[in-house]
Amino acid sequence: MTEKTEAAAAAGAGKQPRSVRVVLLALMIAMMLAMLDNMIIGTAMPTIVGELGGLEHLSWVVTAYTLATAASTPLWGKLGDMYGRKGSFMTSIVIFLIGSALSGMAQDMGQLIGFRAIQGLGAGGLMVGVMAIIGDLIPPRERGKYQGMIAGVMALSMIGGPLVGGTITDNWGWRWSFYINIPLGVIALIAISAVLHLPKKRSKARIDYPGAALLTIGITAIVLVTTWGGTEYAWTSARIMELIGIGVAALVGFVFWQTKAAEPIMPLHIFRSRNFTLMSIIGFIVGFVMFGATLFLPLYQQAVQGASATNSGLLLLPMLGAMLVTSMVAGRVTTNTGRYKIFPVAGGALMTVGLFLLSTMDTDTTRFTSGLYMAVVGLGMGCLMQITMLVAQNSVEMKDMGVASSSTTLFRTLGSSFGVAIMGALFNHRVQDVMAERATGAGAKATEQSATLTADALNALPAAVRDAYQHAVSSGTHGAFLLGSAVAVLALVAAVFVKEVPLKGAGPKAADGPADGDSPASAKAPVTEAV
């Protein structure tokens, strides 16, 4: 039996051939590389600063990576559509590994920031490549359970990242926080090179360089505004206003240019699909909420509930565990029934309720109660995480699979930037206000510059100041999560308007065709010819 016949027969039986499973394992390793990196590096940063110095440039170690990832994401998606998914994905892995090796060899903070940008350029293609290749290999009807597995990898990475980072830094040194990527990446490269054989593409059209430049400038300006606003510069400062102006002008120019370009980076016709547009909105909100929650929940538990910062990943276990389980269940149910609208609706509702419950936490809330609230949020995010990608891919033609995947990923990334910035600004404002009301003199000065005192530093404060600070953090998280709950309502509203276009695939209950104008070629595509 030929490989093509084996793939088709296995698809008809509701399972995938061994070669597809090997590729999926490699894809999950690549996804883990992208997700683990920032989690591991966050734990290693104090040691890195202690050796390399450059404390004043510390934030750029993360910002350079984030900027490069966000700016390159749309370009990687388009390159895959034009020249083939396999080559572009393997190239992104190689660039990521080169950046990892160079980062591990950095001799000063400037070098580390530059090498992190190289790493980020590769990372931009990792997540896009994973999602787009799954879109090529697996029919939409079967895709849910595999994307649920990817969501599980993401959750496990967020839980285990800080623990792995701490262990590596303590036993091997901080440079191995970067070197650890190399053997994993090589394994992924070998597996993909050996068993992934997607149809080769060769587009005669030129890459849309003006569109890529305009989008990169716009994204860079947005990320810098959300990163610097309220921290490096006041929100009303000239620098922030300039960046806002540049960002708006670049994005308006980008939209105009996409109507003229022969091969646009982000073809605007994909937004004619109502489902795709709604999934982009929901993805933005999921990013807004998820990264805001992962930032403020450990802070609340450390400052108010006295938890140790060492196990910061475990503090999120109720939320991330619930997200993992729900993602897997949602994927399985979608595969077995071909129905999916219930998940974004339920996810939007659970996320809204869970965030509102988190906003009610105060200085007397127990860890068990806060864990239950986190689990509700996790259930909501689990219903949304990969269903958004599945529906977005099902709403476009196969030739646009890459740009659909990259656009959805980009919106989630931008949502996380806005979430951290806006929720962070509200949090800091409330902390400073409450500290000004409750603490005076030296106590207020000791905390006014930091909303993230360590447990040791907190215990060293006078009892009255410590009590004031705990109330301040509680008030800050109240405001941040209440805002998150209000934003999550938009995800629920968007989900209500999703049209349940039947997913075509190998399942026996697959519908005969898509409906209501959201007619994707991907819904009609069989499993890829050779795997």
Side-chain angles (χ1 to χ4, degrees), residues 295-345:
L295 175 65
F296 296 113
L297 280 170
L299 175 57
Y300 169 84
Q301 291 196 324
Q302 292 170 38
V304 179
Q305 296 181 329
S308 169
T310 304
N311 297 322
S312 56
L314 295 178
L315 299 175
L316 299 173
L317 187 57
M319 182 179 74
L320 297 177
M323 185 176 78
L324 186 156
V325 172
T326 313
S327 295
M328 301 291 285
V329 170
R332 289 287 179 179
V333 171
T334 301
T335 296
N336 292 334
T337 67
R339 315 295 273 175
Y340 54 82
K341 181 173 179 176
I342 182 61
F343 294 111
V345 173

Side-chain angles (χ1 to χ4, degrees), residues 26-367:
L27 294 180
M28 285 190 280
I29 292 174
M31 176 63 78
M32 185 172 64
L33 289 175
M35 291 299 301
L36 269 179
D37 194 71
N38 268 334
M39 299 293 171
I40 292 177
I41 301 310
T43 309
M45 281 312 299
T47 306
I48 294 174
V49 172
E51 181 174 328
L52 299 183
L55 178 62
E56 67 276 14
H57 303 304
L58 175 63
S59 64
W60 273 103
V61 175
V62 176
T63 301
Y65 181 90
T66 304
L67 274 175
T69 301
S72 63
T73 292
L75 186 58
W76 283 115
K78 190 62 180 179
L79 288 174
D81 284 343
M82 292 176 66
Y83 300 111
R85 211 81 66 203
K86 179 178 177 179
S88 63
F89 184 56
M90 293 182 67
T91 301
S92 71
I93 295 177
V94 170
I95 293 174
F96 181 84
L97 295 182
I98 291 173
S100 297
L102 291 174
S103 296
M105 294 185 286
Q107 299 302 308
D108 57 50
M109 191 61 78
Q111 289 182 10
L112 181 59
I113 291 169
F115 296 150
R116 284 282 283 167
I118 296 174
Q119 199 182 17
L121 287 175
L126 293 183
M127 286 189 282
V128 172
V130 168
M131 295 303 178
I133 290 174
I134 288 178
D136 276 349
L137 289 179
I138 311 297
R141 178 65 178 272
E142 300 290 325
R143 206 175 293 160
K145 61 182 178 183
Y146 295 103
Q147 291 185 338
M149 292 165 60
I150 295 296
V153 170
M154 295 171 67
L156 289 174
S157 299
M158 296 176 74
I159 295 170
L163 298 176
V164 173
T167 302
I168 290 174
T169 303
D170 290 340
N171 293 282
W172 298 348
W174 67 266
R175 296 183 186 277
W176 277 96
S177 296
F178 296 103
Y179 293 151
I180 194 66
N181 293 329
I182 296 174
L184 293 174
V186 169
I187 291 172
L189 279 174
I190 292 173
I192 290 168
S193 176
V195 300
L196 178 63
H197 304 292
L198 295 173
K200 293 183 178 180
K201 301 178 183 179
R202 181 62 61 182
S203 174
K204 295 182 180 179
R206 298 184 61 185
I207 297 174
D208 178 18
Y209 291 109
L214 287 169
L215 184 59
T216 299
I217 293 171
I219 292 172
T220 301
I222 288 174
V223 173
L224 287 178
V225 166
T226 57
T227 303
W228 286 347
T231 54
E232 298 286 332
Y233 303 95
W235 285 104
T236 55
S237 66
R239 178 61 56 87
I240 297 299
M241 292 297 106
E242 289 170 1
L243 285 171
I244 291 174
I246 291 171
V248 170
L251 293 178
V252 170
F254 170 75
V255 171
F256 174 77
W257 179 256
Q258 294 305 279
T259 64
K260 308 293 184 183
E263 194 68 44
I265 288 289
M266 189 182 294
L268 301 183
H269 67 256
I270 61 178
F271 292 97
R272 293 174 187 163
S273 164
R274 185 169 81 182
N275 275 5
F276 182 84
T277 302
L278 291 172
M279 289 303 111
S280 298
I281 294 171
I282 293 174
F284 180 92
I285 295 170
V286 169
F288 188 106
V289 168
M290 183 174 72
F291 286 91
T294 54
L295 175 65
F296 296 113
L297 280 170
L299 175 57
Y300 169 84
Q301 291 196 324
Q302 292 170 38
V304 179
Q305 296 181 329
S308 169
T310 304
N311 297 322
S312 56
L314 295 178
L315 299 175
L316 299 173
L317 187 57
M319 182 179 74
L320 297 177
M323 185 176 78
L324 186 156
V325 172
T326 313
S327 295
M328 301 291 285
V329 170
R332 289 287 179 179
V333 171
T334 301
T335 296
N336 292 334
T337 67
R339 315 295 273 175
Y340 54 82
K341 181 173 179 176
I342 182 61
F343 294 111
V345 173
L350 287 168
M351 198 163 62
T352 301
V353 171
L355 287 164
F356 177 77
L357 291 173
L358 289 177
S359 75
T360 65
M361 295 189 303
D362 56 27
T363 56
D364 296 322
T365 303
T366 65
R367 291 191 192 181

